[in-house]
């Protein structure tokens, strides 16, 4: 963590004095409890001001950016970047406010938990800085927030390889009406069929690498420098098994992303987690051991490699240090909002050109249904793809299905350059979807 005092602006790149301002809020610590029966439900708002004083005017053309509410959490995390202003100067200040959402509270107003105005010149491009905020009614209580300013646009294009998890115990129980299996636990692991599916995909990936397959979409998968995974057990197990051939790259990054979890349907115990923080790693090791034991008992194939445990140890779990799942049901709009957070506030800002994302059928389906670009939507409507628009909106990838997705963020960047927040239509960024390895859409 950087503890940076106010710097001479001449130490920065000369172009930064008129560069845009983007801000990543990573996490907060020790948020004051303002509710009687639970921790606060914190969120952050930020505006850019003319000077380092909170009472100065807001910079014209800038916006108030908000980071979403994290329910009942003393140590919330976001790891999310938002646009603040098309142009910032050394004398500007970022006014950072911390809030507790309290719609049912007194006067139906959120509780204000403090603020700090941070001089822009004290935040070098790309460097994390921790700032302290004290509640106005309790100045001895120190809350901290980690910030990182970015002064340049991210790359306008990104490729994401989506992989749906293998068959889980929940999937099998739903198909065969095994209600006890559905209800006796949360966060269901893979079945042996799911293991077979994931190992089958791993074989296809390994064969493509060995044969030097001349397919740009497959090559993106083979050369991907990072694997994102939903924190749910079935997704992580699929990532470990199916993407094992990619692990030959010692620099490959494995990261858990809470926004990639499955849409929480009513009664969907498979989409509730049970562990977080360092305990999630111990939990995944235990589940992997039990998975390997079930696999051997049924004689499905050779033992699962011990190296899978090494992959679990390589997981970056910083986004799951506190509760990362939602206890109540989500609707389509909730899932679409999380998809926007994941793709536009996280993946877009990842410096790597290609990201592998292991996740879930409903989450992917809602992403397809919401974010086709006008050009790709017209292609689909005109019969230029194997599946219709209705198929993409109502069907899902088969277990361990793979979809290469080309994203173009140019309309979003153009809106920022013109000094305004993007309209909903400008977030429609999916320019092409290519299904790999005989993947299909199913009901």
């Amino acid at each position: 963590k950087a503890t940076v005092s106010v710097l001479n602006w001449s130490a920065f790149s000369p172009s930064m004095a008129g560069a845009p301002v983007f801000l990543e809020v990573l996490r907060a610590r020790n948020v004051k409890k303002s509710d009687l029966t639970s921790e606060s439900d914190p969120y952050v708002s930020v505006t850019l001001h003319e000077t380092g004083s909170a009472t100065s005017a807001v910079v014209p053309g800038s916006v108030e950016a908000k980071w979403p509410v994290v329910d009942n959490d003393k140590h919330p995390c976001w790891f999310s970047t938002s646009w603040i202003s098309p142009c910032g100067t050394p004398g500007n200040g970022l006014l950072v406010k911390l809030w507790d959402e309290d719609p049912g509270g007194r006067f139906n107003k959120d509780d204000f938990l403090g603020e700090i105005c941070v001089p822009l010149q004290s935040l070098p491009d790309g460097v994390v800085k921790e700032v302290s905020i004290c509640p106005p009614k309790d100045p001895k209580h120190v809350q901290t927030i980690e910030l990182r300013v970015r002064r340049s646009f991210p790359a306008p294009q990104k490729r994401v390889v989506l992989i749906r998890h293998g068959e889980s115990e929940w999937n099998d129980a739903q198909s065969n009406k095994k209600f006890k299996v559905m209800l006796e636990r949360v966060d269901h692991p893979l079945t042996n069929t799911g293991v077979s599916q994931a190992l089958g995909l791993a074989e296809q990936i390994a064969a493509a690498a060995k044969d030097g397959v001349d397919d740009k979409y497959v090559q993106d998968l083979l050369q991907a420098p990072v694997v994102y995974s939903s924190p749910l057990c079935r997704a992580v197990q699929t990532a470990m098994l199916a993407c094992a051939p990619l692990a030959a790259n010692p620099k490959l990054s494995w990261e858990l992303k809470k926004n990639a979890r499955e849409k929480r349907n009513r009664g969907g115990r498979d989409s509730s987690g049970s562990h977080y923080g360092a305990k999630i790693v111990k939990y995944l090791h235990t589940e992997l051991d039990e998975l390997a034991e079930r696999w051997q008992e049924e004689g499905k194939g050779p033992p699962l490699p011990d190296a899978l445990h090494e992959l679990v140890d390589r997981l970056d779990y910083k986004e799951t240090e506190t509760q990362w799942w939602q206890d109540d049901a989500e609707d389509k709009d909730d899932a679409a909002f999380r998809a926007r957070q994941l793709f536009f506030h996280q993946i877009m800002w990842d410096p790597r050109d290609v990201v592998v994302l292991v996740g879930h059928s409903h989450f992917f389906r809602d992403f397809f249904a919401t974010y086709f670009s006008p050009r790709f939507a017209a292609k689909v409507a005109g019969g230029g793809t194997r599946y219709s628009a209705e198929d993409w909106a109502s069907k899902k990838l088969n277990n361990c299905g793979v979809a290469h997705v080309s994203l173009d963020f140019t309309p979003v960047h153009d809106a920022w350059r013109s000094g305004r927040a993007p309209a909903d239509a400008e977030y429609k960024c999916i320019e092409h979807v290519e299904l790999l390895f005989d993947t299909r859409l199913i009901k």
Side-chain angles (χ1 to χ4, degrees):
K1 298 173 183 175
T3 53
V4 184
S5 58
V6 175
L7 302 180
N8 186 333
W9 196 259
S10 64
F12 288 70
S13 166
S15 63
M16 285 188 182
V21 180
F22 303 95
L23 182 68
E24 180 183 9
V25 176
L26 289 81
R27 52 190 159 196
R29 289 286 182 267
N30 199 33
V31 175
K32 182 169 179 62
K33 181 178 179 179
S34 62
D35 298 331
L36 291 176
T37 59
S38 66
E39 298 292 344
S40 291
D41 304 314
Y43 69 93
V44 174
S45 66
V46 178
T47 47
L48 185 66
H49 289 247
E50 294 281 6
T51 72
S53 169
T55 59
S56 64
V58 174
V59 172
S62 64
V63 299
E64 181 185 31
K66 290 186 177 181
W67 280 258
V69 175
V70 180
D71 292 335
N72 189 29
D73 203 329
K74 184 178 181 179
H75 307 298
C77 71
W78 291 274
F79 294 94
S80 171
T81 302
S82 290
W83 174 72
I84 304 292
S85 174
C87 182
T89 63
N92 293 157
L94 284 168
L95 181 60
V96 181
K97 295 183 178 182
L98 184 61
W99 301 86
D100 167 40
E101 185 187 50
D102 194 17
R106 190 181 182 189
F107 307 121
N108 204 37
K109 291 177 63 177
D110 295 344
D111 296 327
F112 178 60
L113 298 179
E115 65 181 30
I116 184 172
C117 199
V118 187
L120 195 56
Q121 60 184 343
S122 72
L123 298 167
D125 185 28
V127 177
V128 176
K129 181 175 181 178
E130 184 179 79
V131 298
S132 299
I133 296 178
C134 297
K137 296 182 180 180
D138 187 2
K140 293 184 178 181
H141 184 99
V142 179
Q143 308 162 119
T144 61
I145 300 181
E146 292 179 12
L147 310 171
R148 175 161 43 204
V149 162
R150 303 182 188 275
R151 302 305 309 277
S152 58
F153 283 88
Q157 283 85 35
K158 186 79 71 176
R159 287 103 66 201
V160 182
V161 182
L162 305 180
I163 300 176
R164 184 192 170 193
H165 64 80
E167 182 192 75
S168 69
E169 289 184 353
W170 177 274
N171 296 148
D172 176 65
Q174 268 191 321
S175 299
N176 295 290
K177 296 181 172 55
K178 300 177 182 177
F179 301 116
K180 181 181 178 181
V181 173
M182 295 172 67
L183 297 175
E184 65 186 1
R185 66 168 294 167
V186 297
D187 195 12
H188 299 65
L190 294 179
T191 62
N192 280 339
T193 297
V195 174
S196 294
Q197 292 165 341
L199 292 175
L201 177 54
E203 290 177 1
Q204 291 177 298
I205 294 172
K210 180 180 178 182
D211 298 340
V213 172
D214 185 21
D215 181 306
K216 65 179 182 180
Y217 303 113
V218 174
Q219 284 299 316
D220 273 347
L221 171 58
L222 298 178
Q223 298 172 19
V226 59
V227 176
Y228 287 177
S229 175
S230 155
L232 288 164
C233 183
R234 57 194 182 277
V236 180
Q237 290 178 338
T238 300
M240 300 291 104
L241 293 165
C243 298
L246 307 181
N249 175 7
K251 295 182 179 180
L252 182 72
S253 178
W254 302 79
E255 303 178 16
L256 299 182
K257 294 292 179 183
K258 66 177 184 177
N259 280 325
R261 67 189 186 273
E262 179 59 302
K263 176 183 174 185
R264 178 69 155 83
N265 294 316
R266 191 175 303 277
R269 292 175 61 80
D270 61 324
S271 297
S272 291
S274 56
H275 296 79
Y276 49 82
K279 290 182 179 180
I280 198 170
V281 174
K282 182 178 179 181
Y283 164 70
L284 291 170
H285 278 302
T286 300
E287 288 294 326
L288 194 56
D289 285 336
E290 293 179 1
L291 188 72
E293 184 177 338
R294 291 195 300 272
W295 179 256
Q296 282 296 97
E297 284 178 353
E298 294 193 18
K300 292 291 185 179
L304 300 182
D306 291 335
L308 294 175
H309 284 286
E310 297 175 13
L311 300 184
V312 173
D313 286 331
R314 287 168 60 179
L315 282 173
D316 179 341
Y317 60 88
K318 62 179 178 289
E319 289 196 24
T320 60
E321 289 183 348
T322 57
Q323 181 171 327
W324 45 266
W325 63 91
Q326 187 165 319
D327 291 322
D328 51 348
E330 294 179 290
D331 60 22
K332 184 178 179 180
D333 290 340
D334 293 329
F337 176 79
R338 273 202 293 113
R340 182 175 292 190
Q341 289 294 311
L342 178 64
F343 285 93
F344 293 92
H345 295 268
Q346 293 184 295
I347 288 177
M348 181 169 70
W349 290 95
D350 193 307
R352 295 159 289 203
D353 292 334
V354 182
V355 170
V356 174
L357 173 59
V358 183
H360 306 274
S361 60
H362 291 180
F363 184 77
F364 291 160
R365 183 181 64 194
D366 288 349
F367 178 57
F368 290 140
T370 306
Y371 291 108
F372 277 179
S373 71
R375 180 162 42 193
F376 189 60
K379 182 178 180 179
V380 171
T385 63
R386 178 180 174 186
Y387 293 102
S388 68
E390 175 62 25
D391 289 333
W392 287 108
S394 62
K395 295 183 179 180
K396 54 193 178 185
L397 299 177
N398 60 277
N399 288 118
C400 284
V402 183
H404 180 288
V405 183
S406 300
L407 305 176
D408 186 355
F409 303 118
T410 301
V412 171
H413 293 190
D414 288 345
W416 289 337
R417 286 190 172 94
S418 67
R420 60 177 177 81
D424 285 345
E426 290 166 316
Y427 282 104
K428 294 183 179 294
C429 64
I430 299 176
E431 283 293 322
H432 183 73
V433 182
E434 188 75 17
L435 300 181
L436 308 181
F437 304 123
D438 300 319
T439 295
R440 63 196 187 281
L441 298 182
I442 61 174
K443 291 183 178 180

